Structures are given as C-alpha cells and as structure tokens.
Amino acid sequence: MTTDEKKERLRQLANVDFPAAAKAGRFPIVLNHCFLRVVYDHVAQDMWKNVLTGKGPAIHQLSGEQLDLAIATGEAMLTDRELTSKLNQESLAFRGKLK
C-alpha cells in the first residue's frame, strides 16, 4: 500500500467506519477527532503533539510504519469496545485528563 493509500485508509476509518461502528455499538468515543486523538496518541505513546512536532496535520507527519500501526490500531478499535476504552484511557492519561 502506498503512503497515500494508507492515509486514505486512515481517513476512511476516522470519518466513516469508526463513527458508524461506535454509534451502533455504544463505544466510549464516537467522533472522528476523538478516534484520531486515541490512535495518534497510541502510535506516539504520548500526547501526539509532543512527539510529532512538524508542521501540518499529524497524518502527514507519520512515517509509513507509523501509518501501518495507526491503521492496525483503528481497525482493531472498530470491533473491540474494550480496546477502544482502554486506548481512550491511555490517551487521556497522556494528557493528564483521567477522570
């Protein structure tokens, strides 16, 4: 898969696949920007803005390997509400926002 194809797949996951699955399955997050926050923070293992410090959207800063991990993470989140919850909590912890 080319870099552009990987970016398009991640956009598809964020903008179409995950929001639909999340709303239907009562996931802890449903919005595309929340999905991307969780995915990017997981890839970065920190708040993504602390790691991806270049200009422009995070999707354009990810390496091919990072895009692969982002896609794999997003696809896993599609069917696993527990994983989504766990990764959301991880992301919130990176941001100091745990409840």
Side-chain angles (χ1 to χ4, degrees):
M1 194 181 292
T2 68
T3 298
D4 286 342
E5 290 170 333
K6 290 176 185 183
K7 289 177 183 180
E8 186 54 39
R9 176 63 183 135
L10 187 54
R11 285 185 195 102
Q12 173 75 27
L13 284 166
N15 296 322
V16 179
D17 299 344
F18 184 78
K23 287 176 186 172
R26 297 183 182 231
F27 279 56
I29 58 174
V30 294
L31 302 174
N32 66 343
H33 68 274
C34 294
F35 169 84
L36 288 171
R37 168 186 52 83
V38 170
V39 168
Y40 292 153
D41 286 358
H42 181 69
V43 169
Q45 285 299 291
D46 194 354
M47 189 168 67
W48 68 265
K49 290 182 180 182
N50 290 339
V51 176
L52 302 174
T53 57
K55 293 187 179 189
I59 196 168
H60 300 305
Q61 297 181 54
L62 296 175
S63 69
E65 210 171 88
Q66 290 170 318
L67 282 167
D68 289 339
L69 178 56
I71 291 166
T73 301
E75 289 176 343
M77 288 170 61
L78 274 178
T79 59
D80 191 335
R81 184 173 42 200
E82 186 175 313
L83 175 65
T84 302
S85 182
K86 177 184 168 196
L87 294 181
N88 185 47
Q89 292 300 306
E90 173 188 80
S91 173
L92 294 172
F94 291 145
R95 293 160 181 275
K97 294 184 178 184
L98 274 180
K99 296 178 183 175

